[in-house]
Amino acid sequence: MDARFESIDFSHLNRMRKWHIIFPVFLVSVIAFLDRVNIAYAGMTMTQQLDWLTPEVFGAGSGMFFLGYFFFEIPGSLVAAKFDACKWIARIMFTWGLVCGLLAFMKAPWQFYLFRFLLGACEASLYPVIYAVLFPRWFLAKERAAAISLMLTSLLIAAIIGSPIAGVLLELRILGFEGWQCLFLIEAVPALVFTFVFIFWVKDRPNKVSYLTPLEKEYLNTAIAEEEAAKESVKKYSIKQSLTDKQVWRLCAIYFCWCTGFWGFNFWMPQVLKGVSGWSPSLIGFAIIIPMGTALIAQVLVGRSSSRTGEKRWHVAGCMFLGAIGLLCAPFIHSGALSLFLVTLTCIGVYAPMGTWWSVPTTFLTGAAAAGATALINSVANLGGYVGPYMLGVIKQNTGSTDGGYFVLGGMLFLAGLIMLTLPKKTAIDRAKEQEE
């Protein structure tokens, strides 16, 4: 470290980044996840009240979100990389809030498909912009896994607070609206309101803020620039090269398998658990706090461990294997309590390695190339978000059971773990340091 930076109060710097970067992005992610998966809880009563909502239609509509994501992910990420990432995130949040509210008024399958597609199109590029544009401008490579893991506890916090709220709302009837309609309308409001808070609170570069000292700003800009130069000394990727790179496509394959299992599990899990246990929607909402809370602790621990050791492959693969065990064993269990235990294993498996995973692309990519490649990975992989829920819906419609679908989902997670272990052990930064020595 340059002697000039030894006088920096790093505890103050870290505190400021947590409060002004991680925390507001955490809140955005909580709102996004609530609006993305509220359909899973609404499905517990929608399928009984809407005659046209068959298991196949529900699965297709749930997954339609990811088709919207697929088509708009890469263009949105490249726009954010070139201009202001925070203004782009605010735009994303406002438009998805509007569409979430529209879901309360759907009356036919085509409206269900259209609104879910638009929701995905509006939210497209949110996470790639966070992972590959915003956070790399604020956190060094060694800090990124822990920072992203801390931010991504939002997914589990959203499930922990969202599931009991959804369970209660589903059993209400307000002003003539059914419970599932109230759920969509009420959960659209935070996105619309927080848009205006976020755009004034968060800045996409250190030199745009007033809460850091000039020396702290210089340290971040210098250290991050040096890391980017080190990665580019090994290989500098253009946008085109990043989108055609073999390692990037290997990451696409891993995340496709992961997302097939992740979203197939998430969208159908409340209904499957309800069928096995016979519990009420509100009881299921509160019961889901247990697996989500456990996975929350695991996510923080996995992220810290990966940042401390620098190891990423086994941190991700080991979790994939654990999640696969939970899904593969589920069809053999017919007890509510044991089913909840397997849900807990699966939650740990699919949630815990998220922060570590999203620090992988920026270990060898920088700038617009990193944004484009991260968007490609998320875009291609989120097709698994369509395949997983739709596949389970088709299987349930034709067999009356989700058992066969769970075997496929478990196999996909196992395959994701195996491919993860084929990635290089050493990062571009590690190789650059070896060359210097």
Side-chain angles (χ1 to χ4, degrees):
M1 181 188 295
D2 192 310
R4 292 176 301 154
F5 303 134
E6 292 179 357
S7 62
I8 290 177
D9 182 355
F10 283 95
S11 63
H12 172 265
L13 175 60
N14 292 334
R15 192 163 58 250
M16 290 298 99
R17 288 187 296 175
K18 285 180 180 178
W19 173 246
H20 292 283
I21 303 299
I22 295 178
F23 182 61
V25 174
F26 165 93
L27 294 178
V28 170
S29 185
V30 167
I31 298 168
F33 197 73
L34 285 174
D35 290 344
R36 183 187 293 196
V37 304
N38 52 19
I39 190 69
Y41 299 99
M44 288 192 288
T45 59
M46 283 172 59
T47 52
Q48 299 168 8
Q49 296 171 1
L50 302 176
D51 294 338
W52 51 265
L53 194 60
T54 65
E56 184 173 347
V57 170
F58 178 81
S62 297
M64 196 63 69
F65 171 93
F66 299 100
L67 292 184
Y69 227 103
F70 176 78
F71 288 109
F72 295 95
E73 184 89 321
I74 295 176
S77 297
L78 295 178
V79 168
K82 189 174 182 179
F83 298 105
D84 191 307
C86 293
K87 289 180 180 177
W88 187 253
I89 291 172
R91 191 284 305 162
I92 289 171
M93 192 166 19
F94 187 79
T95 53
W96 98 54
L98 291 176
V99 176
C100 181
L102 289 176
L103 281 163
F105 303 99
M106 59 185 175
K107 297 183 182 301
W110 72 267
Q111 293 176 333
F112 182 34
Y113 296 153
L114 175 62
F115 294 156
R116 287 292 295 177
F117 178 87
L118 290 176
L119 189 65
C122 291
E123 192 187 312
S125 77
L126 172 64
Y127 287 102
V129 169
I130 293 170
Y131 303 142
V133 181
L134 183 60
F135 273 40
R137 292 175 179 174
W138 280 94
F139 298 95
L140 278 64
K142 65 182 180 181
E143 302 170 321
R144 236 164 269 158
I148 295 174
S149 290
L150 185 58
M151 184 277 293
L152 282 179
T153 58
S154 56
L155 305 184
L156 292 155
I157 294 292
I160 289 170
I161 64 174
S163 57
I165 291 173
V168 171
L169 287 175
L170 289 174
E171 296 181 352
L172 298 178
R173 184 182 174 88
I174 303 173
L175 299 176
F177 288 108
E178 298 292 344
W180 62 270
Q181 293 175 303
C182 296
L183 179 62
F184 290 129
L185 289 170
I186 291 172
E187 292 194 348
V189 174
L192 299 174
V193 173
F194 195 64
T195 294
F196 301 97
V197 177
F198 185 86
I199 201 168
F200 290 106
W201 186 357
V202 185
K203 305 301 176 184
D204 68 339
R205 294 181 186 275
N207 56 7
K208 293 183 179 180
V209 304
S210 59
Y211 52 81
L212 295 181
T213 67
L215 192 60
E216 289 171 335
K217 296 178 186 179
E218 184 182 357
Y219 164 72
L220 287 176
N221 290 329
T222 301
I224 290 170
E226 288 176 352
E227 284 191 346
E228 291 187 354
K231 285 183 278 188
E232 292 177 357
S233 70
V234 176
K235 181 177 179 179
K236 183 175 181 178
Y237 288 80
S238 66
I239 296 174
K240 181 178 179 181
Q241 287 174 324
S242 71
L243 297 180
T244 56
D245 183 73
K246 290 181 180 179
Q247 186 165 330
V248 170
W249 278 96
R250 205 182 311 177
L251 296 178
C252 289
I254 294 167
Y255 203 43
F256 174 84
C257 294
W258 185 349
C259 281
T260 300
F262 181 92
W263 289 114
F265 166 73
N266 270 285
F267 281 130
W268 282 97
M269 178 263 292
Q271 292 186 56
V272 172
L273 185 58
K274 184 175 186 292
V276 172
S277 65
W279 299 338
S280 68
S282 58
L283 180 55
I284 288 174
F286 282 101
I288 289 173
I289 292 175
I290 297 172
M292 296 301 178
T294 305
L296 172 64
I297 297 170
Q299 187 177 70
V300 174
L301 294 177
V302 168
R304 287 181 179 177
S305 174
S306 178
S307 284
R308 185 180 67 254
T309 63
E311 203 285 327
K312 300 180 186 298
R313 300 186 317 148
W314 275 104
H315 281 79
V316 175
C319 290
M320 292 294 99
F321 297 148
L322 182 64
I325 291 172
L327 288 172
L328 293 171
C329 293
F332 303 104
I333 300 300
H334 304 287
S335 157
L338 289 177
S339 181
L340 188 63
F341 171 74
L342 292 179
V343 167
T344 302
L345 290 186
T346 306
C347 281
I348 293 171
V350 299
Y351 282 101
M354 279 285 187
T356 300
W357 164 255
W358 281 118
S359 68
V360 172
T362 53
T363 60
F364 65 100
L365 297 168
T366 61
T374 302
L376 176 66
I377 293 164
N378 209 37
S379 182
V380 171
N382 273 323
L383 290 177
Y386 178 79
V387 171
Y390 181 61
M391 178 267 299
L392 246 71
V394 170
I395 290 175
K396 183 176 181 181
Q397 178 117 353
N398 288 282
T399 67
S401 170
T402 57
D403 290 355
Y406 265 49
F407 289 134
V408 176
L409 299 184
M412 295 296 276
L413 290 184
F414 189 78
L415 182 58
L418 291 179
I419 303 174
M420 186 71 197
L421 295 177
T422 69
L423 294 179
K425 291 182 180 180
K426 294 182 179 179
T427 67
I429 294 175
D430 293 332
R431 294 197 296 274
K433 289 179 180 178
E434 289 178 356
Q435 289 175 5
E436 291 176 1
E437 296 172 356

